[in-house]
Amino acid sequence: MIAHDLNPENAHQPASAVGYLVAGLERRMLSGGAPFTALSCDNIQCNGDMLRELVCQFVAARTTERAANSPNLERWVREHGRFPNTMVDRITPGFSQKDVELLASRYGLEDRVPVSAEPFIQWVIQDDFVDGDRPAWDKAGALFSSNVAPYEMMKLRLLNAGHSVLAYSALLTGHDVVHDAMANQTVAKLVRAYMEEITPAVPEVPGIDLSSYKVTLAERFANPNIADEVLRLAEDGSLKMAGFVGPAVTDMLAPNRESVRPVLPASGLAGACWMRCLGTAELLSLIHISEPTRLLSISYAVFCLKKKKNIKSKVVHYEEERQNYKGSNNKS
């Protein structure tokens, strides 16, 4: 769609989201009007900053007669455009046929793909709108802030990382559902210990008491009405462990943080659980289909190194098993 929109012949027929945004912004500029606020709800870090860069890169990539407006449009967007960053915190399990049946039987509603979610919700929006004209979403519970980053960091390092810590310890203790895993004191203690251990790497968050937030997190994880699946949390673990747990541990071990480096037993145990799952064939067959293959191979090699096993033969064996599993899975 991007290639379609960059083609001069399709100048007035955009097909992509960014194409529509740029077309609208260009019309505003040429008519002498103000730009609109483009608010991203993508569940990624710095989503507004990324959207701004995407729009500007798209404008710079345009050619032929439209290129005459591109430098001015890009400059105008950077100076006057507004792309607030946002962060949403709400546990939303994957699709379940049970939800379809529940809605039909209890409420008489037909919804083939219902979306279930927990009662808790936190939506933080950067207070950066064109002409300061923002919707009154705060009346419905949204929080406007000059800086979304602290809230985002809190979520990534406590909720998201906590989910990953929970997932692999739960798999090793035989749990399929998150709230059942939290009923296991071994798993629950590890999750709580990790959150306490890593709290110094979480910045101060305006209006949030981190102690209360961590208690609430544990309660949210233990909510039996959510029935979240452990395997959902374990998906893409190689990326999540590196993206959520890794940076927090790195910050904790930074030379300028403490004169004596802290001991992080909960973080170490969480990492060991993850690697153990990657090195256990039965568990690997469940989770590796959503893992980046290259990262899995590296992780398995490290596991073998820790066990002083033949790394090359084990990785080759893993790749063979992965292909066999993939082939059998496709056949079914």
Side-chain angles (χ1 to χ4, degrees):
M1 288 191 289
I2 298 296
H4 170 278
D5 290 353
L6 290 175
N7 187 330
E9 296 180 0
N10 303 318
H12 304 292
Q13 296 178 324
S16 67
V18 67
Y20 274 104
L21 287 175
V22 169
L25 287 167
E26 186 171 34
R27 287 187 181 185
R28 290 287 186 97
M29 184 190 74
L30 295 177
S31 66
F36 49 80
T37 299
L39 188 145
S40 172
C41 293
D42 282 334
N43 191 23
I44 55 177
Q45 292 177 258
C46 304
N47 49 17
D49 296 336
M50 293 184 68
L51 180 58
R52 176 190 291 106
E53 289 306 310
L54 179 63
V55 167
C56 291
Q57 288 178 23
F58 182 94
V59 171
R62 298 191 310 177
T63 57
T64 65
E65 71 273 6
R66 302 183 71 195
N69 289 329
S70 292
N72 293 332
L73 178 58
E74 182 179 356
R75 189 182 312 114
W76 184 79
V77 168
R78 290 191 181 279
E79 291 180 2
H80 304 289
R82 293 294 180 266
F83 300 81
N85 291 307
T86 67
M87 186 281 295
V88 65
D89 178 359
R90 195 178 200 188
I91 298 173
T92 307
F95 167 79
S96 171
Q97 184 61 33
K98 292 182 179 179
D99 293 336
V100 176
E101 297 169 357
L102 175 65
L103 286 174
S105 61
R106 183 175 297 181
Y107 303 104
L109 298 175
E110 181 181 352
D111 190 338
R112 296 181 181 180
V113 191
V115 177
S116 61
E118 64 173 335
F120 180 93
I121 185 170
Q122 183 185 53
W123 191 23
V124 185
I125 307 166
Q126 184 180 5
D127 193 1
D128 185 25
F129 289 74
V130 174
D131 296 330
D133 184 16
R134 72 184 195 196
W137 291 333
D138 50 325
K139 293 183 179 179
L143 174 64
F144 289 103
S145 174
S146 60
N147 187 8
V148 173
Y151 299 91
E152 197 165 50
M153 188 72 74
M154 174 182 69
K155 177 196 172 187
L156 293 172
R157 296 193 170 182
L158 293 177
L159 185 147
N160 294 116
H163 262 166
S164 293
V165 171
L166 185 155
Y168 297 105
S169 57
L171 286 173
L172 292 175
T173 48
H175 296 289
D176 300 322
V177 185
V178 173
H179 66 266
D180 285 343
M182 285 297 289
N184 183 323
Q185 288 305 303
T186 300
V187 176
K189 286 180 180 179
L190 174 59
V191 173
R192 293 190 180 96
Y194 171 80
M195 290 193 291
E196 289 299 324
E197 185 176 276
I198 220 68
T199 295
V202 179
E204 291 187 10
V205 186
I208 300 294
D209 179 76
L210 287 181
S211 296
S212 299
Y213 181 77
K214 287 180 288 189
V215 171
T216 301
L217 269 184
E219 294 173 350
R220 292 164 63 189
F221 291 172
N223 185 349
N225 296 314
I226 297 300
D228 204 0
E229 295 184 352
V230 170
L231 286 178
R232 185 185 77 85
L233 307 187
E235 290 178 353
D236 298 322
S238 298
L239 295 177
K240 291 177 180 177
M241 292 294 288
F244 303 148
V245 178
V249 172
T250 299
D251 281 0
M252 289 293 296
L253 298 177
N256 61 346
R257 177 174 287 277
E258 299 286 349
S259 57
V260 178
R261 288 191 174 184
V263 178
L264 306 174
S267 301
L269 181 55
C273 289
W274 167 57
M275 294 183 70
R276 181 60 180 172
C277 286
L278 297 183
T280 304
E282 186 175 344
L283 294 175
L284 191 62
S285 67
L286 294 175
I287 65 175
H288 81 249
I289 55 175
S290 58
E291 289 277 350
T293 303
R294 180 176 174 80
L295 289 176
L296 263 179
S297 299
I298 294 172
S299 302
Y300 196 58
V302 172
F303 172 79
C304 293
L305 180 62
K306 293 289 185 180
K307 292 294 185 178
K308 297 182 180 179
K309 294 181 178 181
N310 186 314
I311 297 175
K312 183 176 181 180
S313 65
K314 287 294 179 181
V315 172
V316 170
H317 172 70
Y318 160 71
E319 290 294 343
E320 292 174 349
E321 288 295 316
R322 186 184 70 83
Q323 292 297 334
N324 291 338
Y325 180 84
K326 183 178 179 181
S328 62
N329 191 52
N330 288 339
K331 291 178 181 178
S332 61

